[in-house]
Amino acid sequence: MKLYLDPGHGGNDPGAQGNGLQEKNINLDIALKINNLLTSNYENVDVKMSRTSDITKSLSQRTNEANTWGADYYVSIHCNAFNGSAQGYEDYIHSSLSDSSQTARYQDILHEEITAVNQLRDRGKKKANFHVLRESNMPAFLSENGFIDNAHDASFMRDNSWRQQVAQGHVNGIARAFNLPQKNNNDPEPDVFYVILAGSFQSRDNAESRVENLQDNHIAAFVSTTTISGERWYRVQAGAFANPNNAERHLDTVQQIVPDAYIQQEQR
């Protein structure tokens, strides 16, 4: 089974914003957790992500990539926003599809598994004419994991253990929908490490200011550089771990200072 996993937004498109959080970072963190859980624990699944870092990528690039790769399923991870008062979880398939379609049956399973663990108000299963649902050649599913501009939902989004639960709910649904066999847990860990990023800036002065703030709070950090779409960015790294559990524990500490810090998987 080939899964195209799409953390919505990224780069110069932050998505929805509220309560000191940016949607692009929440989406990416949940998607990275989904990828790690699936590839670590299940056989017969190959995951391609639209992005594994904070890059800009158009909707057409995403669906074209999934179509060219021949994905069996497209899962797009998002958060919602409205007027600060709306809250809860909802998910979508394309508006042209019947309730008896294969895509709708997959939605039924994922919706059941995600709402079982996410502790959010269930706003139901919905349909829409979103680009990624319309232009993908395979069954496609889009989840809206709470309202980032709502204080109640944002308090969950800020919690790394909650994001892990949400990722697990997606994984439970995907594994059940596609009958994925579980791996022997004695299999070796993927050859990756887990980097905590506490901000990316086009100004080195801004990055250095973030580092100083973290160090004032007894968190070791430094500035590294990366090139995205031909432009130099200065990212603030606040730790790197071989064990994802250790990374997640440290992320909780970092997020007390930088709420939208997140974990990024990188090759050794």
Side-chain angles (χ1 to χ4, degrees):
M1 180 264 189
K2 297 169 72 172
L3 172 69
Y4 191 83
L5 183 57
D6 176 27
H9 308 284
N12 61 23
D13 174 14
Q17 301 178 71
N19 293 290
L21 301 172
Q22 292 187 321
E23 181 189 356
K24 64 177 182 178
N25 296 330
I26 304 298
N27 297 344
L28 179 60
D29 188 62
I30 292 172
L32 288 170
K33 287 171 164 52
I34 292 171
N35 184 24
N36 184 52
L37 287 166
L38 270 175
T39 56
S40 297
N41 297 307
Y42 290 92
E43 302 278 4
N44 301 341
V45 60
D46 189 7
V47 180
K48 181 185 284 291
M49 295 185 64
S50 63
R51 63 185 183 96
T52 57
S53 61
D54 187 22
I55 64 168
T56 303
K57 195 166 190 176
S58 71
L59 294 175
S60 293
Q61 285 176 309
R62 297 171 198 237
T63 51
N64 288 345
E65 187 172 75
N67 292 340
T68 300
W69 185 50
D72 297 304
Y73 198 37
Y74 191 117
V75 172
S76 192
I77 307 300
H78 286 261
C79 303
N80 233 325
F82 183 55
N83 61 3
S85 63
Q87 60 179 266
Y89 168 84
E90 59 196 29
D91 48 50
Y92 291 85
I93 61 173
H94 192 254
S95 51
S96 66
L97 296 167
S98 74
D99 292 342
S100 61
S101 65
Q102 182 65 68
T103 302
R105 287 195 288 271
Y106 290 154
Q107 182 186 29
D108 290 342
I109 294 171
L110 266 75
H111 186 92
E112 180 180 333
E113 294 291 347
I114 295 166
T115 56
V117 300
N118 68 6
Q119 305 173 68
L120 297 176
R121 175 188 168 195
D122 184 356
R123 297 171 60 90
K125 295 172 286 187
K126 302 187 177 184
K127 299 178 183 180
N129 189 32
F130 298 145
H131 175 99
V132 298
L133 304 178
R134 183 183 66 248
E135 300 301 327
S136 48
N137 293 340
M138 68 295 302
F141 172 90
L142 185 147
S143 61
E144 292 277 10
N145 296 280
F147 284 75
I148 202 168
D149 58 348
N150 177 270
H152 172 270
D153 288 7
S155 68
F156 282 118
M157 294 179 194
R158 200 171 277 115
D159 182 353
N160 182 62
S161 63
W162 179 83
R163 298 194 303 274
Q164 185 74 26
Q165 283 182 299
V166 169
Q168 186 66 65
H170 283 72
V171 168
N172 293 346
I174 293 164
R176 183 177 145 204
F178 288 88
N179 297 310
L180 298 178
Q182 286 194 300
K183 278 186 178 180
N184 183 333
N185 286 332
N186 293 324
D187 287 349
E189 290 291 325
D191 193 26
V192 298
F193 62 100
Y194 302 85
V195 175
I196 295 175
L197 296 180
S200 295
F201 305 88
Q202 288 190 289
S203 164
R204 188 177 187 98
D205 288 344
N206 291 342
E208 295 286 4
S209 177
R210 174 64 56 81
V211 168
E212 182 177 348
N213 183 31
L214 288 165
Q215 291 176 341
D216 286 345
N217 287 275
H218 310 292
I219 297 172
F222 66 93
V223 176
S224 63
T225 60
T226 187
T227 300
I228 301 172
S229 300
E231 295 183 340
R232 175 170 288 185
W233 287 76
Y234 301 91
R235 67 181 197 171
V236 177
Q237 184 171 320
F241 301 84
N243 185 310
N245 294 326
N246 293 340
E248 287 166 2
R249 280 193 289 271
H250 190 59
L251 179 65
D252 287 338
T253 300
V254 175
Q255 287 181 329
Q256 293 176 25
I257 311 303
V258 182
D260 60 353
Y262 63 96
I263 295 173
Q264 177 171 295
Q265 291 186 36
E266 297 186 357
Q267 296 296 317
R268 294 183 187 276

